[in-house]
């Protein structure tokens, strides 16, 4: 097992009798935001260490952010980085887009 994804889940690799999961995360903006909530609960609970992730589009963004957070400070780090990422995406989406004319004037 590659401990890169499990990071510091509980301070050790899964126990012999503990199951781990491989996740396939799908794309699509709303699906990505939904998957963030599911990942948050899996990471918070800690009973199912994540062994690997495969993903596309928004799912890939979740996988990369979660893997980064796991690598720097375990499940809590992954939860923190996912929250930062999706809060940033949400706030960016609430800003008005510049019109083509505004961009050309710059």
């Amino acid at each position: 097992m590659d401990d890169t994804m499990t990071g510091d889940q509980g301070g050790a690799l899964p126990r012999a009798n503990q199951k781990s999961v491989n996740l396939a995360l799908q794309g699509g903006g709303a699906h990505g935001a939904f998957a963030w909530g599911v990942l948050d609960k899996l990471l918070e609970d800690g009973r199912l260490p994540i062994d690997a992730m495969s993903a596309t589009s928004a799912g890939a963004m979740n996988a990369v952010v979660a893997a980064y957070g796991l690598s720097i400070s375990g499940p809590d780090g992954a939860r923190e980085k996912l929250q930062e990422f999706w809060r940033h995406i949400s706030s960016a989406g609430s800003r008005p887009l510049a019109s083509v004319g505004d961009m050309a004037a710059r």
Side-chain angles (χ1 to χ4, degrees):
M1 170 174 46
D2 178 6
D3 63 353
T4 303
M5 294 305 288
T6 54
D8 182 38
Q9 297 208 12
L13 294 174
R15 296 182 300 269
N17 62 346
Q18 186 178 27
K19 302 274 187 203
S20 62
V21 294
N22 297 320
L23 301 176
L25 306 174
Q26 71 186 54
H31 292 256
F34 173 80
W36 162 41
V38 174
L39 285 168
D40 186 65
K41 289 302 176 189
L42 284 173
L43 292 161
E44 177 184 43
D45 182 79
R47 288 182 289 169
L48 287 173
I50 299 169
D51 192 34
M53 290 187 234
S54 175
T56 185
S57 191
M61 293 187 303
N62 277 329
V64 168
V65 173
Y68 172 66
L70 283 167
S71 73
I72 59 172
S73 57
D76 290 338
R79 294 180 69 216
E80 178 184 339
K81 293 302 176 189
L82 283 163
Q83 181 177 20
E84 287 175 12
F85 175 78
W86 283 102
R87 296 285 182 221
H88 180 74
I89 294 295
S90 176
S91 68
S94 66
R95 290 185 218 128
L97 295 174
S99 69
V100 174
D102 291 340
M103 291 176 11
R106 291 182 191 178

